[in-house]
Amino acid sequence: MAQLSRSGRFSEEATALLNDFNSSIMFDRELYRYDIQGSIAHAKMLAKTGILTQDEAKSLEIALLTVQNEIENGEFEFKIEDEDIHMAVEKRLIALIGDTGKKLHTARSRNDQVAVDFRLYVQDKTKTLTSLVYTLVESLHSIAKEHKATLLPGMTHLQHAQPISFAYHMLAYASMFSRDHSRLEASFERNNFSPLGCAALAGTPHPINRDVTAATLGFKGPTVNCLDTVSDRDFALEMLFNISMMFVHISRMAEELIIWSSSEFRFVTISDQYSTGSSIMPQKKNPDVAELLRGKTGRVYGNLISLLTVMKALPLAYNKDMQEDKEGVFDSVQTAEISLKILNEMLLTMTVNVERMEAACKIGHLSATDLADYLVERGMPFREAHFVTGKAVALAESEGVDLSELPADKLKALDALIGDDVTAFLNLRNSMNARKSSGGTSEASVQAQLDHFEKWLKSNVIQ
Amino acid sequence: MAQLSRSGRFSEEATALLNDFNSSIMFDRELYRYDIQGSIAHAKMLAKTGILTQDEAKSLEIALLTVQNEIENGEFEFKIEDEDIHMAVEKRLIALIGDTGKKLHTARSRNDQVAVDFRLYVQDKTKTLTSLVYTLVESLHSIAKEHKATLLPGMTHLQHAQPISFAYHMLAYASMFSRDHSRLEASFERNNFSPLGCAALAGTPHPINRDVTAATLGFKGPTVNCLDTVSDRDFALEMLFNISMMFVHISRMAEELIIWSSSEFRFVTISDQYSTGSSIMPQKKNPDVAELLRGKTGRVYGNLISLLTVMKALPLAYNKDMQEDKEGVFDSVQTAEISLKILNEMLLTMTVNVERMEAACKIGHLSATDLADYLVERGMPFREAHFVTGKAVALAESEGVDLSELPADKLKALDALIGDDVTAFLNLRNSMNARKSSGGTSEASVQAQLDHFEKWLKSNVIQ
Amino acid sequence: MAQLSRSGRFSEEATALLNDFNSSIMFDRELYRYDIQGSIAHAKMLAKTGILTQDEAKSLEIALLTVQNEIENGEFEFKIEDEDIHMAVEKRLIALIGDTGKKLHTARSRNDQVAVDFRLYVQDKTKTLTSLVYTLVESLHSIAKEHKATLLPGMTHLQHAQPISFAYHMLAYASMFSRDHSRLEASFERNNFSPLGCAALAGTPHPINRDVTAATLGFKGPTVNCLDTVSDRDFALEMLFNISMMFVHISRMAEELIIWSSSEFRFVTISDQYSTGSSIMPQKKNPDVAELLRGKTGRVYGNLISLLTVMKALPLAYNKDMQEDKEGVFDSVQTAEISLKILNEMLLTMTVNVERMEAACKIGHLSATDLADYLVERGMPFREAHFVTGKAVALAESEGVDLSELPADKLKALDALIGDDVTAFLNLRNSMNARKSSGGTSEASVQAQLDHFEKWLKSNVIQ
Amino acid sequence: MAQLSRSGRFSEEATALLNDFNSSIMFDRELYRYDIQGSIAHAKMLAKTGILTQDEAKSLEIALLTVQNEIENGEFEFKIEDEDIHMAVEKRLIALIGDTGKKLHTARSRNDQVAVDFRLYVQDKTKTLTSLVYTLVESLHSIAKEHKATLLPGMTHLQHAQPISFAYHMLAYASMFSRDHSRLEASFERNNFSPLGCAALAGTPHPINRDVTAATLGFKGPTVNCLDTVSDRDFALEMLFNISMMFVHISRMAEELIIWSSSEFRFVTISDQYSTGSSIMPQKKNPDVAELLRGKTGRVYGNLISLLTVMKALPLAYNKDMQEDKEGVFDSVQTAEISLKILNEMLLTMTVNVERMEAACKIGHLSATDLADYLVERGMPFREAHFVTGKAVALAESEGVDLSELPADKLKALDALIGDDVTAFLNLRNSMNARKSSGGTSEASVQAQLDHFEKWLKSNVIQ
């Protein structure tokens, strides 16, 4: 054996560096509540199965709650040498009640403690986010209710396409966020199994009862295979993906609010609280909050790809790489929590510039499709109707008016199928209300959508 | 207005380039079946609602099936000028039946055609992947059944930790893949709504019936809000994530198979069919297929981040950016399909080197935890037991034997709590079978897991 | 040993699947020219060092050129069984000249062939992209030259901030793309070393001369360590990153073109060639090409993350995972090539709506900062000047005019430091031209920037 | 205008949330030194150009240094209301010296302050990382020097391929890290231009001198175009990519160290300091540090994709999204710093198990290629030689010995070209030393590589 003779050059710095590098306590202390919750469940089960006495379990529970209090009152000192939250809590426990404290670790390993704490956190936060998304859908629904008749130029390619209502636009987002809600709920159910009792990787010879701890902790039951469980991070990846998807939706809404706040659009005015001025340009009112919401998409996508990268090709079971699983999840969860709250308030406090929206509908011949439909209804094949409409639009352009304002006579000259009723038909509000098909923008269709979401809100109400 | 006077310098090349750039037909023709399926459903509905005559609908259906035949027989010429599969099919339709062909586009736009085709594709492939994952779980279950008694050194940190069974290890993967199965099923249900009838973005004034087309196409019903629907790609992102997660699992298994195939391990021998030789080193047998499975993880992660990037901050509704949604999904789906098939066969044809695995269990004092447990059961606090065990391991090291082979006398000298029964207790198979807790590695626990998966297979059986 | 008895269930399909899975020929045939170029260099060196005779080398060269001709004339049949381009070429070589063909593989392995071909490809394409980026900078420079006096509302947060010139805006992009140019050049130099002669992983016992092949192939010299070389993909990752960075810039420009093309902005009109109509809305003119440019960002980011994922934690040296390195690079390179060409032409053919831009400058009190500067110049501390300016803006708002149009009297009433010269000072063109600092938007500063780029173009001219 | 009447429901919480959301001070205070450095340079220039008096500049400098001292002594209170480090420092400045403090903001905006601080940080850290990478190459070089004769089974596909030296393996990593060094240096040069003086987006009317501040701050000169500069984050993205690439290399080395530390390999023993025990399995020694190094790859890839996502499609110039640029860069830089230090020490303190490595070379017939080469040298075409070698390997297998130990007689029976000299030829050390080609594994070739790196170290020495 050839021992490399050079002594490490950074000796003392090294110890500090290594502590920093190995230790997770500076971020995983976020888990303290879940760690104590898991430990109490474990202690109770140990008593129930006779591994500990009832007295020992009681003493453990009291001491654990004491530690929790100390943490919550800021009396607990987190030291980097304690390495992780599990060790920190256990050390304090032993300081408080001596040998009984040591017994808590019976039939348990750090790997399953990590797994339990982190899963309890993710499950808990899944519920929090579910509730925040619910509130957002509720707000969108309430805004939509007031704007069934507010005309807005519906766009594709950021070009005016057809007149729609602002309600209809808001309900598109309600649809997106209701899918986010569904994904969060499904992940909660899929992962609602208890890792506790898995020990290091293979279970334990102690006569534990995993059903008991699972029930105490609110899980449906214990997980099936412990080797899988101690290195399963599917639940964390699902959380990161669910949040990424949510930010697809948030960033789309933020982009629209930013564009709508420009001098050129002015479709909405974000309240002062959610805007900021410039240090050098006093006249500006910047949609900073919307921009930050859009920008935070980068962060949550990054956290997703981080954990996917960490988990790629790791052999079973636990590897220290997995210590990298938490910070990204904490960051995405906190980002999602605050972003959902702020987006919700920003929506509720913004001003909808109804006149600007409606005026904008007169740009771009938004009832062109209606003219085509008018012709089709009167028997013209669609492709031909499309062609005649093109001529009508060109005519309106040359007259300098919107198609909806072109006199019937001029239109009638274009094709024998066009009659006097064309003017009413091309009216913008009429155009919007013509789209009565299921899921469409007419007031009738939108009312049906409002009813749908009202029902959804009732059936998903949070107790 | 200042028209830039320079004429484009690349004129002819430009037209070709632009066609290439704008056109999607070279990849979206993969959707032809779904496009025709959607069109037939649309035609039937148009007849049912009186928008077309029954004769027209019949004529359209026959012609559409003719086009399908032509494509499947290789008689159909895809031209880049047709731009996309929808246009290509429609053009041929008109060539076949003239004006009636043109009527198919009534009450429909390319945006909802795109949405329908792509969703039908994703739903169909979700079913295919669900079935392939099912088969993989079935194979893992059948392999596990034969190896309940096969000892394997269970590892954490790629270090020997505790003796487990090979069955137990295989069932860890069965657990992972059964979660993949659950995710695929949940996505299928969540997205099983029909986009057809959404038109460009706002619905249509034609008296269509979206319930009818939804039912014809096998959807639960129509989507709620059309503005959302024409630019919703959640279903595609879910597919990309579900496949990425699946490749977390596939890559972990591949990594293990590669390590297990090394000269140093030799725990398994991958069949010749799934290995290859070297062009320059005749003695080598490389686990190429496992390496490719691991490597393909990059591709599916990349496809996920691609579409997340595309969708970030897009204003409603359809934007041409979304044309970038398909290639990545096609690529991930094809990769998943072939990878699941190949992994399944590779597992079924590999040789499990039982003797090597069992011999390896004698390296690393795998029953150290058992000694600690032995002491704890006899009343020693865990942390002390851990310490005594450390001394026993050091003793075994100095004697040059595995802890399981250290004579009882030597062990007894370490602590008064140690008795003659310690030898049987430290036997490796005994050690494995001691872990009888739920989800553990004992034969009894593994049998319970096998029963669980047998039940799972029955209740998820594919008709 | 427990051979799993089940015979594979998919037998014939399996062979086809495995061929597909293992084979790279369907994409790596893109490398044929580089493969042949590398082989000719190798053959010549083998002759020069006496390993082959001059006749053999000549015969190999002629045959290799024959194969190249066959491929370029479409006479070469690529078969999936040939697995990769190297094998396909070699097989044909042997068919053409028999045993001499077999000798080409002397002192060479497939691993270094792969490494050589791929590096030649990347180096070649780096040059192509460098040249396309050069052309783009040239076009931006020429557009800027015409628009030094064209006013545009400079924006931050998509809010009007200060009047700038359109030239200035174009030169911001020239700056970005000139950095892309610099990155491409640096990568070319850093990676311009020849892998040829590395053999499988350890070099070769044959008396080859790597300096000779390096020189023949246009490299600066051979790489330093062969173990590194056969599994080095840094050059490919640099390419993927350089293209991703380029798409940060392309997507920003595309976003601006899209916003500028909206009805609300109309700052530019993209030429018909680079826009498309809607199938259902005849009046629309969509900036599809700009949207696709923006959307393709997803693809190139995805390709980068794919290869980063593949390369993570691969042990030395070659692993089959690395076969996944090429498709993403090919895709990003092709995407970049076509995108740069199209962006260039789109810019050269778009109409700059000068009047619209200038009119927009009168919205938002763009000379507010000038008023603050005016006050500071006259001795007021900046923070106070900022405050007074705020009052002036409020006054203009209440009068319904832009700050630049507010009569001097009204302004003078606000603070004693304000004099009659304030009106000229707040004129928008004056405001723009006041920013004379280096890198600023004044015509003088912009002229200096134009000179800078003129010099840059000259010193980077492509022969 | 339809003001939404609902009052925000979370009022007080809202203010706190918004402060949190908008504020960057909790992370950007990391920039304090650079902020003060930039401000001093700005003040000096303002004096030089007569915008401030020399006294004012002197007073500003002293006060700024006072603030720096306060921060470094922990006397400075960071408040979330101060929003960012720039505001925090400025406020304190004004508290210290009143109106003169306010004058510092003359001819400067927060946007260019952000740009200056962040660029100074990145440039400074680029130098730090360059130096740490240099040290790592130095260590690899010193380890390699001691192991030119240490045999190691060179692997491809994690299968034994050819005997190489441990020195050769270490120098492969020296090659990789020297490329990382080159990338860091190139990025430093490319981005070494001063943003200071760009103001909000368009330059400033004040007669500033950007050459002066650039020189004071150690930049080559000012940037070319301010609109570009205030929203340029190329330098940050380059840093994130350079670190990601570095982690491709670090993760590969970490993976090898982990595999080499397994019971089955035992090629190296990581020192106790860089390993940890298990809480439940006393016999284990886990390569935690190497695993963390591998795991941290996820984090740095994630940070790269985050900022790429943020920057995608942002219109010019500054948008608040960009506030999301810093945390990821700070995190990647800190991760790289500590990881490089720790990897370096871990390498210098690990034990190289020379006997295990050499013994492993006798598994897998590593001299098979040599036999093929032997035959080729004697005139056999390579493909045939490959075939004969295959038979020899089969023979060795059946005899249960390594090819290098097969008696000459048995080999001679296989082909007439084989002579008595074959035994010496197939000796493993001979096999290694036969690979004398440039970049190969022979001791002679490795010496040339050592010389190369010695020269490299000298020419890149850090003063």
Side-chain angles (χ1 to χ4, degrees), chain A residues 156-157 159-161 255 261 264 278-279 281-284 291 309 312 364 369 386, chain C residues 156-157 159-161 255 261 264 278-279 281 283-284 291 309 312 364 369 386:
Chain A
T156 57
H157 310 268
Q159 296 289 320
H160 293 193
E255 171 87 357
S261 298
E264 284 74 9
S278 152
S279 71
M281 291 162 293
Q283 84 288 3
K284 287 189 65 183
E291 291 167 82
T309 302
K312 182 209 161 195
T369 327
H386 191 269
Chain C
T156 57
H157 309 268
Q159 296 288 321
H160 292 194
E255 171 88 355
S261 298
E264 283 74 11
S278 151
S279 71
M281 291 161 293
Q283 86 288 2
K284 287 189 64 180
E291 291 168 83
T309 303
K312 182 210 162 194
T369 327
H386 192 269

Short mmCIF file of all heavy atoms in Angstrom, two decimals, chain A residues 156-157 159-161 255 261 264 278-279 281-284 291 309 312 364 369 386, chain C residues 156-157 159-161 255 261 264 278-279 281 283-284 291 309 312 364 369 386:
data_model
loop_
_atom_site.label_atom_id
_atom_site.label_comp_id
_atom_site.label_asym_id
_atom_site.label_seq_id
_atom_site.Cartn_x
_atom_site.Cartn_y
_atom_site.Cartn_z
N THR A 156 -54.21 35.08 -30.86
CA THR A 156 -53.26 33.99 -31.09
C THR A 156 -52.07 34.66 -31.75
O THR A 156 -52.24 35.67 -32.45
CB THR A 156 -53.82 32.89 -32.01
OG1 THR A 156 -54.20 33.48 -33.25
CG2 THR A 156 -55.03 32.19 -31.41
N HIS A 157 -50.87 34.16 -31.52
CA HIS A 157 -49.66 34.78 -32.07
C HIS A 157 -49.52 36.25 -31.64
O HIS A 157 -48.91 37.04 -32.35
CB HIS A 157 -49.63 34.70 -33.60
CG HIS A 157 -49.88 33.34 -34.16
ND1 HIS A 157 -48.87 32.45 -34.44
CD2 HIS A 157 -51.04 32.70 -34.48
CE1 HIS A 157 -49.40 31.33 -34.93
NE2 HIS A 157 -50.71 31.46 -34.96
N GLN A 159 -51.62 38.37 -31.94
CA GLN A 159 -52.37 39.14 -32.93
C GLN A 159 -53.85 39.02 -32.60
O GLN A 159 -54.31 37.94 -32.21
CB GLN A 159 -52.14 38.56 -34.34
CG GLN A 159 -50.70 38.67 -34.84
CD GLN A 159 -50.31 40.09 -35.18
OE1 GLN A 159 -51.10 40.83 -35.73
NE2 GLN A 159 -49.08 40.47 -34.82
N HIS A 160 -54.56 40.10 -32.77
CA HIS A 160 -56.00 40.06 -32.56
C HIS A 160 -56.63 38.98 -33.42
O HIS A 160 -56.36 38.90 -34.62
CB HIS A 160 -56.63 41.41 -32.92
CG HIS A 160 -56.22 42.51 -32.02
ND1 HIS A 160 -56.84 43.73 -31.98
CD2 HIS A 160 -55.25 42.58 -31.07
CE1 HIS A 160 -56.27 44.51 -31.08
NE2 HIS A 160 -55.29 43.82 -30.52
N ALA A 161 -57.48 38.18 -32.81
CA ALA A 161 -58.08 37.08 -33.57
C ALA A 161 -59.60 37.16 -33.56
O ALA A 161 -60.22 37.35 -34.59
CB ALA A 161 -57.61 35.75 -33.00
N GLU A 255 -46.74 37.00 -17.98
CA GLU A 255 -46.38 37.59 -19.27
C GLU A 255 -47.53 38.44 -19.80
O GLU A 255 -47.31 39.55 -20.30
CB GLU A 255 -46.05 36.47 -20.28
CG GLU A 255 -45.87 36.89 -21.72
CD GLU A 255 -44.46 37.33 -22.07
OE1 GLU A 255 -43.61 37.36 -21.16
OE2 GLU A 255 -44.20 37.63 -23.25
N SER A 261 -49.84 45.69 -19.29
CA SER A 261 -49.51 46.90 -18.52
C SER A 261 -48.69 47.90 -19.32
O SER A 261 -48.42 49.00 -18.84
CB SER A 261 -48.71 46.53 -17.27
OG SER A 261 -49.48 45.71 -16.43
N GLU A 264 -48.64 50.73 -24.57
CA GLU A 264 -49.34 50.44 -25.82
C GLU A 264 -50.63 49.67 -25.57
O GLU A 264 -51.60 49.83 -26.31
CB GLU A 264 -48.41 49.65 -26.75
CG GLU A 264 -47.34 50.50 -27.42
CD GLU A 264 -46.20 50.92 -26.49
OE1 GLU A 264 -46.15 50.40 -25.34
OE2 GLU A 264 -45.38 51.77 -26.88
N SER A 278 -39.05 53.70 -10.55
CA SER A 278 -37.67 53.56 -10.97
C SER A 278 -36.83 54.53 -10.17
O SER A 278 -37.30 55.62 -9.81
CB SER A 278 -37.58 53.90 -12.46
OG SER A 278 -36.30 54.40 -12.78
N SER A 279 -35.57 54.19 -9.90
CA SER A 279 -34.71 55.08 -9.13
C SER A 279 -34.36 56.31 -9.95
O SER A 279 -34.07 57.36 -9.42
CB SER A 279 -33.45 54.35 -8.71
OG SER A 279 -32.62 54.13 -9.83
N MET A 281 -36.10 57.09 -13.22
CA MET A 281 -37.14 57.57 -14.12
C MET A 281 -38.45 57.70 -13.35
O MET A 281 -39.20 56.75 -13.21
CB MET A 281 -37.28 56.61 -15.29
CG MET A 281 -36.05 56.66 -16.21
SD MET A 281 -35.92 55.22 -17.30
CE MET A 281 -35.60 53.92 -16.10
N PRO A 282 -38.74 58.87 -12.85
CA PRO A 282 -39.83 59.05 -11.88
C PRO A 282 -41.21 58.71 -12.44
O PRO A 282 -42.12 58.44 -11.67
CB PRO A 282 -39.75 60.53 -11.52
CG PRO A 282 -38.64 61.12 -12.28
CD PRO A 282 -38.06 60.13 -13.19
N GLN A 283 -41.36 58.74 -13.77
CA GLN A 283 -42.70 58.54 -14.33
C GLN A 283 -43.08 57.07 -14.45
O GLN A 283 -44.22 56.74 -14.75
CB GLN A 283 -42.78 59.19 -15.71
CG GLN A 283 -42.28 58.35 -16.87
CD GLN A 283 -40.75 58.19 -16.93
OE1 GLN A 283 -40.02 58.65 -16.07
NE2 GLN A 283 -40.29 57.50 -17.93
N LYS A 284 -42.11 56.18 -14.24
CA LYS A 284 -42.38 54.78 -14.53
C LYS A 284 -43.14 54.05 -13.42
O LYS A 284 -42.97 54.33 -12.25
CB LYS A 284 -41.08 54.04 -14.79
CG LYS A 284 -40.47 54.40 -16.14
CD LYS A 284 -39.32 53.49 -16.45
CE LYS A 284 -39.80 52.07 -16.63
NZ LYS A 284 -38.66 51.18 -16.87
N GLU A 291 -43.13 40.48 -13.15
CA GLU A 291 -41.85 40.05 -13.73
C GLU A 291 -41.15 39.02 -12.84
O GLU A 291 -40.58 38.04 -13.33
CB GLU A 291 -40.92 41.26 -13.93
CG GLU A 291 -41.41 42.20 -15.02
CD GLU A 291 -40.66 43.53 -14.99
OE1 GLU A 291 -39.55 43.58 -15.53
OE2 GLU A 291 -41.19 44.50 -14.41
N THR A 309 -31.20 15.06 -12.00
CA THR A 309 -29.78 14.77 -12.24
C THR A 309 -29.19 13.98 -11.09
O THR A 309 -28.45 13.00 -11.30
CB THR A 309 -29.00 16.10 -12.41
OG1 THR A 309 -29.58 16.83 -13.49
CG2 THR A 309 -27.54 15.85 -12.70
N LYS A 312 -30.37 10.28 -11.14
CA LYS A 312 -30.01 9.45 -12.29
C LYS A 312 -28.95 8.42 -11.92
O LYS A 312 -27.91 8.78 -11.38
CB LYS A 312 -29.46 10.34 -13.41
CG LYS A 312 -29.11 9.55 -14.67
CD LYS A 312 -27.97 10.16 -15.48
CE LYS A 312 -27.36 9.12 -16.41
NZ LYS A 312 -26.06 9.55 -16.93
N GLY A 364 -58.21 45.25 -36.16
CA GLY A 364 -57.85 43.92 -36.65
C GLY A 364 -59.00 43.11 -37.23
O GLY A 364 -58.85 41.93 -37.49
N THR A 369 -63.87 36.16 -39.03
CA THR A 369 -64.31 34.76 -38.99
C THR A 369 -65.83 34.68 -39.05
O THR A 369 -66.39 33.74 -39.62
CB THR A 369 -63.84 34.07 -37.69
OG1 THR A 369 -62.59 34.61 -37.33
CG2 THR A 369 -63.73 32.57 -37.90
N HIS A 386 -63.64 31.75 -46.85
CA HIS A 386 -62.39 32.30 -46.36
C HIS A 386 -61.84 33.30 -47.38
O HIS A 386 -61.37 34.39 -47.03
CB HIS A 386 -61.42 31.13 -46.16
CG HIS A 386 -60.17 31.48 -45.42
ND1 HIS A 386 -59.03 31.88 -46.05
CD2 HIS A 386 -59.89 31.46 -44.09
CE1 HIS A 386 -58.08 32.11 -45.14
NE2 HIS A 386 -58.56 31.86 -43.95
N THR C 156 -37.51 49.60 -20.11
CA THR C 156 -37.15 48.61 -19.11
C THR C 156 -38.46 48.16 -18.53
O THR C 156 -39.43 48.94 -18.50
CB THR C 156 -36.24 49.19 -17.99
OG1 THR C 156 -36.92 50.29 -17.38
CG2 THR C 156 -34.91 49.67 -18.54
N HIS C 157 -38.56 46.90 -18.12
CA HIS C 157 -39.82 46.35 -17.61
C HIS C 157 -40.96 46.48 -18.63
O HIS C 157 -42.13 46.56 -18.24
CB HIS C 157 -40.25 47.06 -16.31
CG HIS C 157 -39.18 47.13 -15.26
ND1 HIS C 157 -39.03 46.17 -14.29
CD2 HIS C 157 -38.18 48.03 -15.04
CE1 HIS C 157 -38.01 46.50 -13.50
NE2 HIS C 157 -37.47 47.62 -13.94
N GLN C 159 -41.79 48.99 -20.04
CA GLN C 159 -42.36 50.30 -19.84
C GLN C 159 -41.44 51.33 -20.51
O GLN C 159 -40.22 51.19 -20.45
CB GLN C 159 -42.43 50.63 -18.33
CG GLN C 159 -43.35 49.73 -17.54
CD GLN C 159 -44.82 49.99 -17.81
OE1 GLN C 159 -45.23 51.15 -17.96
NE2 GLN C 159 -45.61 48.94 -17.92
N HIS C 160 -42.05 52.34 -21.09
CA HIS C 160 -41.25 53.40 -21.70
C HIS C 160 -40.32 54.01 -20.67
O HIS C 160 -40.76 54.35 -19.57
CB HIS C 160 -42.17 54.50 -22.24
CG HIS C 160 -42.98 54.06 -23.41
ND1 HIS C 160 -43.65 54.92 -24.23
CD2 HIS C 160 -43.21 52.82 -23.92
CE1 HIS C 160 -44.28 54.24 -25.17
NE2 HIS C 160 -44.03 52.98 -24.99
N ALA C 161 -39.06 54.16 -21.01
CA ALA C 161 -38.10 54.68 -20.04
C ALA C 161 -37.44 55.96 -20.54
O ALA C 161 -37.61 57.04 -19.96
CB ALA C 161 -37.06 53.63 -19.72
N GLU C 255 -38.74 37.82 -29.33
CA GLU C 255 -39.79 38.33 -28.45
C GLU C 255 -40.10 39.79 -28.77
O GLU C 255 -41.26 40.18 -28.87
CB GLU C 255 -39.33 38.22 -26.97
CG GLU C 255 -40.23 38.90 -25.95
CD GLU C 255 -41.35 38.02 -25.43
OE1 GLU C 255 -41.50 36.89 -25.93
OE2 GLU C 255 -42.08 38.46 -24.53
N SER C 261 -44.76 43.62 -33.43
CA SER C 261 -45.68 43.35 -34.54
C SER C 261 -47.14 43.36 -34.12
O SER C 261 -48.03 43.24 -34.96
CB SER C 261 -45.38 41.97 -35.16
OG SER C 261 -44.09 41.94 -35.69
N GLU C 264 -51.10 46.72 -31.17
CA GLU C 264 -50.91 47.80 -30.21
C GLU C 264 -49.57 48.51 -30.45
O GLU C 264 -49.46 49.70 -30.21
CB GLU C 264 -50.98 47.24 -28.79
CG GLU C 264 -52.40 46.95 -28.31
CD GLU C 264 -53.03 45.71 -28.95
OE1 GLU C 264 -52.31 44.94 -29.62
OE2 GLU C 264 -54.26 45.51 -28.78
N SER C 278 -53.91 32.94 -41.15
CA SER C 278 -54.59 31.97 -40.31
C SER C 278 -55.54 31.17 -41.18
O SER C 278 -56.10 31.69 -42.14
CB SER C 278 -55.37 32.72 -39.23
OG SER C 278 -56.49 31.98 -38.81
N SER C 279 -55.77 29.92 -40.84
CA SER C 279 -56.67 29.10 -41.65
C SER C 279 -58.11 29.58 -41.46
O SER C 279 -58.95 29.38 -42.30
CB SER C 279 -56.55 27.64 -41.26
OG SER C 279 -57.12 27.43 -39.98
N MET C 281 -58.93 32.81 -39.68
CA MET C 281 -59.09 34.25 -39.52
C MET C 281 -58.35 34.98 -40.62
O MET C 281 -57.16 35.24 -40.51
CB MET C 281 -58.59 34.67 -38.13
CG MET C 281 -59.51 34.13 -37.03
SD MET C 281 -58.72 34.12 -35.41
CE MET C 281 -57.44 32.89 -35.65
N GLN C 283 -57.95 37.89 -41.69
CA GLN C 283 -57.30 39.18 -41.57
C GLN C 283 -55.94 39.12 -40.88
O GLN C 283 -55.20 40.09 -40.85
CB GLN C 283 -58.22 40.13 -40.80
CG GLN C 283 -58.12 40.08 -39.28
CD GLN C 283 -58.71 38.81 -38.65
OE1 GLN C 283 -59.19 37.91 -39.35
NE2 GLN C 283 -58.65 38.72 -37.35
N LYS C 284 -55.60 37.96 -40.32
CA LYS C 284 -54.41 37.92 -39.48
C LYS C 284 -53.12 37.78 -40.27
O LYS C 284 -53.07 37.16 -41.31
CB LYS C 284 -54.51 36.75 -38.49
CG LYS C 284 -55.50 37.03 -37.39
CD LYS C 284 -55.42 35.96 -36.32
CE LYS C 284 -54.06 35.99 -35.66
NZ LYS C 284 -53.97 34.95 -34.63
N GLU C 291 -41.86 33.55 -33.87
CA GLU C 291 -42.31 32.64 -32.80
C GLU C 291 -41.53 31.33 -32.82
O GLU C 291 -41.13 30.81 -31.77
CB GLU C 291 -43.80 32.36 -32.94
CG GLU C 291 -44.68 33.57 -32.64
CD GLU C 291 -46.12 33.34 -33.08
OE1 GLU C 291 -46.88 32.72 -32.33
OE2 GLU C 291 -46.49 33.78 -34.19
N THR C 309 -26.42 15.52 -18.82
CA THR C 309 -26.93 14.38 -18.05
C THR C 309 -26.22 13.10 -18.43
O THR C 309 -25.84 12.30 -17.57
CB THR C 309 -28.46 14.23 -18.31
OG1 THR C 309 -29.12 15.44 -17.97
CG2 THR C 309 -29.03 13.09 -17.51
N LYS C 312 -22.64 12.98 -16.96
CA LYS C 312 -22.49 12.99 -15.50
C LYS C 312 -22.04 11.63 -14.98
O LYS C 312 -22.67 10.61 -15.27
CB LYS C 312 -23.82 13.34 -14.84
CG LYS C 312 -23.72 13.42 -13.32
CD LYS C 312 -25.02 13.05 -12.63
CE LYS C 312 -24.77 12.72 -11.15
NZ LYS C 312 -25.92 12.04 -10.53
N GLY C 364 -45.54 58.49 -21.95
CA GLY C 364 -44.77 58.03 -20.79
C GLY C 364 -43.75 59.01 -20.26
O GLY C 364 -42.93 58.66 -19.44
N THR C 369 -36.22 61.78 -16.89
CA THR C 369 -34.85 61.70 -16.37
C THR C 369 -34.07 62.95 -16.74
O THR C 369 -33.20 63.40 -15.99
CB THR C 369 -34.10 60.49 -16.95
OG1 THR C 369 -35.02 59.43 -17.16
CG2 THR C 369 -32.99 60.05 -16.03
N HIS C 386 -35.13 64.03 -8.29
CA HIS C 386 -36.04 62.93 -8.58
C HIS C 386 -37.44 63.27 -8.07
O HIS C 386 -38.45 63.04 -8.74
CB HIS C 386 -35.48 61.67 -7.88
CG HIS C 386 -36.12 60.40 -8.30
ND1 HIS C 386 -37.21 59.87 -7.66
CD2 HIS C 386 -35.82 59.55 -9.30
CE1 HIS C 386 -37.54 58.73 -8.23
NE2 HIS C 386 -36.72 58.51 -9.24
#
